[in-house]
Amino acid sequence: MSTHDLPEDLSPATRVVALGRPPRDPGAPVNPSIELTSTYAADGAVGYARAGNPTWLAFEEALGSLEGGDALVFSSGMAAVTAALSLAPHGTPIVASKTAYNGTVARLLDAKADGSHEVRWVDLTDTDAVIAALPGAALVWLESPSNPLLEVADLPALAAAARAHGVISVCDNTFATPLGQRPLEFGVGVVVHSVTKYLSGHSDLILGATVTAATDAGRALRDRLAHQRLLGGAIAGPVETWLALRGLRTLAIRLERASANAAELASRLDGHSAVARLRYPGFGAMVSIEVAGDADAAERVTGAVRLWSHSTSLGGVESQIERRRRHELEPETTPDNLLRLSVGIEDVDDLWRDLDRALGQA
Ligand SMILES: *Cc1c(COP(=O)(O)O)cnc(C)c1O
């Protein structure tokens, strides 16, 4: 890739466009190619495509630059979560929040049940309680803002405390994206992403990633994660990776519009007669509401929308709505009547009219 000849100090909105492109040789393509091969002629840098693929490198260069570290792409967000959790040696304690992404919580419950790890459950918004749980732990799992409660943790304080106790900190940065916050700058050890969501942004693929600092300690973590990817085998397809890079090109402009829409909808939802509680962290494009009424009332809303997509997942250009407790894996910390709204880039008045009418059915 060609970062070396780009000007320094480019803003993130420029970097998503400029990075991960081939060298500018005369006649060269402006986009990376989709490298469809399982193996390579002997004696090159990579011998077999489970160990590396040039299309991965293009995406990893762009994401790594945004987060300020070295990225590795995985086959899904959960593959990246699993690789990051594998950094805690068997038998060691892990500190985590019960209000993290439901797949992560389920994975930790499995690890506890089969005796692989002791799990110390904490409230991530209670900084002192998290710090008190750190001594002797191998890893602390941070997710902020959290899915779907949109709780915000004090990442700088928690990252510093984890470092002081020799605990590896991992931050799932899926909701904020590197345009919202860069956890490596706070001293977090590993950033995890579901690339499926905002980074790719079009609800058309499943991918994940880890990012680690470009320091000796960060590179040591990167090597362990790369080893886990090589032997765990949860590798990204080149086609999905290429599509993710194409989606990433518009991240800044998509987030700008979606975040503005979310702020506007949050202000209109505040005090709405059908909304018992509004959850909006003040940035980003995710909003959760607790409907005035029970789970059935919330289901009537998802059944009544016509423009919003009633579907799981988030971070796409299209607005989505879902009652999270419909999923068996969703922790009981998520209220039964909570609707998670992933606000897209449509016209905000069109979104409001559809949502307001659907809320009238609650
Ligand atoms: C979706 C999601 C994941 C899991 O990612 P997949 O790409 O679905 O495997 C992990 N963390 C968060 C916060 C998510 O929203």
PDB file of all heavy atoms in Angstrom, residues 259-280:
ATOM      1  N   SER A 259     -25.562  10.686  12.753  1.00  0.00           N
ATOM      2  CA  SER A 259     -25.477  11.252  14.114  1.00  0.00           C
ATOM      3  C   SER A 259     -26.372  12.481  14.241  1.00  0.00           C
ATOM      4  O   SER A 259     -27.026  12.677  15.276  1.00  0.00           O
ATOM      5  CB  SER A 259     -24.038  11.630  14.455  1.00  0.00           C
ATOM      6  OG  SER A 259     -23.198  10.516  14.343  1.00  0.00           O
ATOM      7  N   ALA A 260     -26.410  13.306  13.204  1.00  0.00           N
ATOM      8  CA  ALA A 260     -27.291  14.489  13.234  1.00  0.00           C
ATOM      9  C   ALA A 260     -28.750  14.038  13.300  1.00  0.00           C
ATOM     10  O   ALA A 260     -29.551  14.596  14.065  1.00  0.00           O
ATOM     11  CB  ALA A 260     -27.043  15.364  12.007  1.00  0.00           C
ATOM     12  N   ASN A 261     -29.095  13.009  12.511  1.00  0.00           N
ATOM     13  CA  ASN A 261     -30.465  12.472  12.553  1.00  0.00           C
ATOM     14  C   ASN A 261     -30.792  11.944  13.951  1.00  0.00           C
ATOM     15  O   ASN A 261     -31.882  12.176  14.484  1.00  0.00           O
ATOM     16  CB  ASN A 261     -30.625  11.332  11.539  1.00  0.00           C
ATOM     17  CG  ASN A 261     -30.810  11.836  10.107  1.00  0.00           C
ATOM     18  OD1 ASN A 261     -30.942  13.035   9.879  1.00  0.00           O
ATOM     19  ND2 ASN A 261     -30.834  10.915   9.158  1.00  0.00           N
ATOM     20  N   ALA A 262     -29.830  11.215  14.551  1.00  0.00           N
ATOM     21  CA  ALA A 262     -30.064  10.621  15.880  1.00  0.00           C
ATOM     22  C   ALA A 262     -30.277  11.710  16.924  1.00  0.00           C
ATOM     23  O   ALA A 262     -31.165  11.600  17.783  1.00  0.00           O
ATOM     24  CB  ALA A 262     -28.891   9.720  16.275  1.00  0.00           C
ATOM     25  N   ALA A 263     -29.472  12.772  16.863  1.00  0.00           N
ATOM     26  CA  ALA A 263     -29.616  13.867  17.839  1.00  0.00           C
ATOM     27  C   ALA A 263     -30.997  14.498  17.710  1.00  0.00           C
ATOM     28  O   ALA A 263     -31.661  14.793  18.712  1.00  0.00           O
ATOM     29  CB  ALA A 263     -28.523  14.909  17.616  1.00  0.00           C
ATOM     30  N   GLU A 264     -31.446  14.687  16.479  1.00  0.00           N
ATOM     31  CA  GLU A 264     -32.760  15.297  16.249  1.00  0.00           C
ATOM     32  C   GLU A 264     -33.884  14.372  16.737  1.00  0.00           C
ATOM     33  O   GLU A 264     -34.815  14.809  17.423  1.00  0.00           O
ATOM     34  CB  GLU A 264     -32.916  15.610  14.751  1.00  0.00           C
ATOM     35  CG  GLU A 264     -34.239  16.234  14.370  1.00  0.00           C
ATOM     36  CD  GLU A 264     -34.506  17.567  15.068  1.00  0.00           C
ATOM     37  OE1 GLU A 264     -33.525  18.270  15.409  1.00  0.00           O
ATOM     38  OE2 GLU A 264     -35.695  17.877  15.300  1.00  0.00           O
ATOM     39  N   LEU A 265     -33.783  13.086  16.404  1.00  0.00           N
ATOM     40  CA  LEU A 265     -34.829  12.151  16.841  1.00  0.00           C
ATOM     41  C   LEU A 265     -34.844  12.038  18.361  1.00  0.00           C
ATOM     42  O   LEU A 265     -35.915  11.976  18.976  1.00  0.00           O
ATOM     43  CB  LEU A 265     -34.615  10.771  16.209  1.00  0.00           C
ATOM     44  CG  LEU A 265     -34.828  10.686  14.687  1.00  0.00           C
ATOM     45  CD1 LEU A 265     -34.641   9.254  14.203  1.00  0.00           C
ATOM     46  CD2 LEU A 265     -36.217  11.190  14.284  1.00  0.00           C
ATOM     47  N   ALA A 266     -33.650  12.015  18.982  1.00  0.00           N
ATOM     48  CA  ALA A 266     -33.589  11.916  20.449  1.00  0.00           C
ATOM     49  C   ALA A 266     -34.298  13.114  21.079  1.00  0.00           C
ATOM     50  O   ALA A 266     -35.043  12.962  22.055  1.00  0.00           O
ATOM     51  CB  ALA A 266     -32.136  11.834  20.920  1.00  0.00           C
ATOM     52  N   SER A 267     -34.112  14.304  20.509  1.00  0.00           N
ATOM     53  CA  SER A 267     -34.756  15.476  21.114  1.00  0.00           C
ATOM     54  C   SER A 267     -36.271  15.405  20.935  1.00  0.00           C
ATOM     55  O   SER A 267     -37.025  15.839  21.795  1.00  0.00           O
ATOM     56  CB  SER A 267     -34.162  16.774  20.558  1.00  0.00           C
ATOM     57  OG  SER A 267     -34.717  17.064  19.301  1.00  0.00           O
ATOM     58  N   ARG A 268     -36.722  14.811  19.818  1.00  0.00           N
ATOM     59  CA  ARG A 268     -38.181  14.705  19.623  1.00  0.00           C
ATOM     60  C   ARG A 268     -38.775  13.579  20.472  1.00  0.00           C
ATOM     61  O   ARG A 268     -39.950  13.627  20.850  1.00  0.00           O
ATOM     62  CB  ARG A 268     -38.499  14.461  18.145  1.00  0.00           C
ATOM     63  CG  ARG A 268     -38.085  15.635  17.255  1.00  0.00           C
ATOM     64  CD  ARG A 268     -38.590  15.465  15.832  1.00  0.00           C
ATOM     65  NE  ARG A 268     -37.937  16.400  14.914  1.00  0.00           N
ATOM     66  CZ  ARG A 268     -38.214  16.492  13.626  1.00  0.00           C
ATOM     67  NH1 ARG A 268     -39.154  15.710  13.075  1.00  0.00           N
ATOM     68  NH2 ARG A 268     -37.569  17.342  12.849  1.00  0.00           N
ATOM     69  N   LEU A 269     -37.967  12.542  20.754  1.00  0.00           N
ATOM     70  CA  LEU A 269     -38.463  11.414  21.558  1.00  0.00           C
ATOM     71  C   LEU A 269     -38.500  11.756  23.044  1.00  0.00           C
ATOM     72  O   LEU A 269     -39.271  11.170  23.805  1.00  0.00           O
ATOM     73  CB  LEU A 269     -37.567  10.184  21.357  1.00  0.00           C
ATOM     74  CG  LEU A 269     -37.708   9.477  20.010  1.00  0.00           C
ATOM     75  CD1 LEU A 269     -36.526   8.521  19.780  1.00  0.00           C
ATOM     76  CD2 LEU A 269     -39.031   8.713  19.925  1.00  0.00           C
ATOM     77  N   ASP A 270     -37.668  12.718  23.443  1.00  0.00           N
ATOM     78  CA  ASP A 270     -37.585  13.118  24.844  1.00  0.00           C
ATOM     79  C   ASP A 270     -38.933  13.686  25.272  1.00  0.00           C
ATOM     80  O   ASP A 270     -39.399  14.670  24.706  1.00  0.00           O
ATOM     81  CB  ASP A 270     -36.477  14.185  24.976  1.00  0.00           C
ATOM     82  CG  ASP A 270     -36.037  14.362  26.414  1.00  0.00           C
ATOM     83  OD1 ASP A 270     -36.451  13.537  27.259  1.00  0.00           O
ATOM     84  OD2 ASP A 270     -35.288  15.312  26.687  1.00  0.00           O
ATOM     85  N   GLY A 271     -39.559  13.031  26.243  1.00  0.00           N
ATOM     86  CA  GLY A 271     -40.862  13.503  26.717  1.00  0.00           C
ATOM     87  C   GLY A 271     -42.039  13.026  25.886  1.00  0.00           C
ATOM     88  O   GLY A 271     -43.181  13.378  26.177  1.00  0.00           O
ATOM     89  N   HIS A 272     -41.807  12.227  24.843  1.00  0.00           N
ATOM     90  CA  HIS A 272     -42.909  11.671  24.038  1.00  0.00           C
ATOM     91  C   HIS A 272     -43.793  10.796  24.928  1.00  0.00           C
ATOM     92  O   HIS A 272     -43.273  10.045  25.766  1.00  0.00           O
ATOM     93  CB  HIS A 272     -42.295  10.838  22.903  1.00  0.00           C
ATOM     94  CG  HIS A 272     -43.281  10.428  21.846  1.00  0.00           C
ATOM     95  ND1 HIS A 272     -44.239   9.459  22.060  1.00  0.00           N
ATOM     96  CD2 HIS A 272     -43.446  10.851  20.568  1.00  0.00           C
ATOM     97  CE1 HIS A 272     -44.947   9.304  20.943  1.00  0.00           C
ATOM     98  NE2 HIS A 272     -44.489  10.136  20.029  1.00  0.00           N
ATOM     99  N   SER A 273     -45.107  10.887  24.740  1.00  0.00           N
ATOM    100  CA  SER A 273     -46.018  10.186  25.663  1.00  0.00           C
ATOM    101  C   SER A 273     -45.870   8.664  25.599  1.00  0.00           C
ATOM    102  O   SER A 273     -46.202   7.968  26.555  1.00  0.00           O
ATOM    103  CB  SER A 273     -47.465  10.584  25.358  1.00  0.00           C
ATOM    104  OG  SER A 273     -47.763  10.235  24.015  1.00  0.00           O
ATOM    105  N   ALA A 274     -45.344   8.123  24.502  1.00  0.00           N
ATOM    106  CA  ALA A 274     -45.198   6.666  24.385  1.00  0.00           C
ATOM    107  C   ALA A 274     -43.818   6.185  24.838  1.00  0.00           C
ATOM    108  O   ALA A 274     -43.513   4.998  24.759  1.00  0.00           O
ATOM    109  CB  ALA A 274     -45.452   6.223  22.939  1.00  0.00           C
ATOM    110  N   VAL A 275     -42.982   7.117  25.290  1.00  0.00           N
ATOM    111  CA  VAL A 275     -41.608   6.757  25.672  1.00  0.00           C
ATOM    112  C   VAL A 275     -41.421   6.947  27.181  1.00  0.00           C
ATOM    113  O   VAL A 275     -41.484   8.061  27.688  1.00  0.00           O
ATOM    114  CB  VAL A 275     -40.579   7.632  24.901  1.00  0.00           C
ATOM    115  CG1 VAL A 275     -39.146   7.329  25.340  1.00  0.00           C
ATOM    116  CG2 VAL A 275     -40.733   7.420  23.395  1.00  0.00           C
ATOM    117  N   ALA A 276     -41.180   5.822  27.890  1.00  0.00           N
ATOM    118  CA  ALA A 276     -40.986   5.904  29.344  1.00  0.00           C
ATOM    119  C   ALA A 276     -39.568   6.323  29.684  1.00  0.00           C
ATOM    120  O   ALA A 276     -39.331   6.978  30.697  1.00  0.00           O
ATOM    121  CB  ALA A 276     -41.301   4.545  29.983  1.00  0.00           C
ATOM    122  N   ARG A 277     -38.610   5.922  28.857  1.00  0.00           N
ATOM    123  CA  ARG A 277     -37.217   6.301  29.116  1.00  0.00           C
ATOM    124  C   ARG A 277     -36.449   6.374  27.802  1.00  0.00           C
ATOM    125  O   ARG A 277     -36.570   5.486  26.947  1.00  0.00           O
ATOM    126  CB  ARG A 277     -36.557   5.270  30.039  1.00  0.00           C
ATOM    127  CG  ARG A 277     -35.091   5.599  30.274  1.00  0.00           C
ATOM    128  CD  ARG A 277     -34.505   4.829  31.432  1.00  0.00           C
ATOM    129  NE  ARG A 277     -33.089   5.202  31.572  1.00  0.00           N
ATOM    130  CZ  ARG A 277     -32.228   4.605  32.363  1.00  0.00           C
ATOM    131  NH1 ARG A 277     -32.639   3.590  33.116  1.00  0.00           N
ATOM    132  NH2 ARG A 277     -30.978   4.996  32.432  1.00  0.00           N
ATOM    133  N   LEU A 278     -35.689   7.439  27.669  1.00  0.00           N
ATOM    134  CA  LEU A 278     -34.855   7.634  26.482  1.00  0.00           C
ATOM    135  C   LEU A 278     -33.408   7.388  26.875  1.00  0.00           C
ATOM    136  O   LEU A 278     -32.944   7.888  27.903  1.00  0.00           O
ATOM    137  CB  LEU A 278     -35.022   9.074  25.983  1.00  0.00           C
ATOM    138  CG  LEU A 278     -34.050   9.557  24.908  1.00  0.00           C
ATOM    139  CD1 LEU A 278     -34.343   8.901  23.565  1.00  0.00           C
ATOM    140  CD2 LEU A 278     -34.121  11.087  24.785  1.00  0.00           C
ATOM    141  N   ARG A 279     -32.697   6.625  26.058  1.00  0.00           N
ATOM    142  CA  ARG A 279     -31.255   6.418  26.282  1.00  0.00           C
ATOM    143  C   ARG A 279     -30.513   6.915  25.052  1.00  0.00           C
ATOM    144  O   ARG A 279     -30.666   6.349  23.960  1.00  0.00           O
ATOM    145  CB  ARG A 279     -30.940   4.934  26.493  1.00  0.00           C
ATOM    146  CG  ARG A 279     -31.541   4.345  27.756  1.00  0.00           C
ATOM    147  CD  ARG A 279     -31.375   2.833  27.731  1.00  0.00           C
ATOM    148  NE  ARG A 279     -31.883   2.209  28.943  1.00  0.00           N
ATOM    149  CZ  ARG A 279     -31.137   1.946  30.011  1.00  0.00           C
ATOM    150  NH1 ARG A 279     -29.853   2.250  30.015  1.00  0.00           N
ATOM    151  NH2 ARG A 279     -31.664   1.367  31.065  1.00  0.00           N
ATOM    152  N   TYR A 280     -29.748   7.968  25.236  1.00  0.00           N
ATOM    153  CA  TYR A 280     -28.969   8.554  24.145  1.00  0.00           C
ATOM    154  C   TYR A 280     -27.735   9.178  24.774  1.00  0.00           C
ATOM    155  O   TYR A 280     -27.850  10.077  25.616  1.00  0.00           O
ATOM    156  CB  TYR A 280     -29.815   9.620  23.417  1.00  0.00           C
ATOM    157  CG  TYR A 280     -29.054  10.461  22.433  1.00  0.00           C
ATOM    158  CD1 TYR A 280     -28.439   9.878  21.311  1.00  0.00           C
ATOM    159  CD2 TYR A 280     -28.923  11.838  22.620  1.00  0.00           C
ATOM    160  CE1 TYR A 280     -27.728  10.660  20.416  1.00  0.00           C
ATOM    161  CE2 TYR A 280     -28.220  12.621  21.708  1.00  0.00           C
ATOM    162  CZ  TYR A 280     -27.618  12.024  20.618  1.00  0.00           C
ATOM    163  OH  TYR A 280     -26.918  12.788  19.733  1.00  0.00           O
TER     164      TYR A 280
END
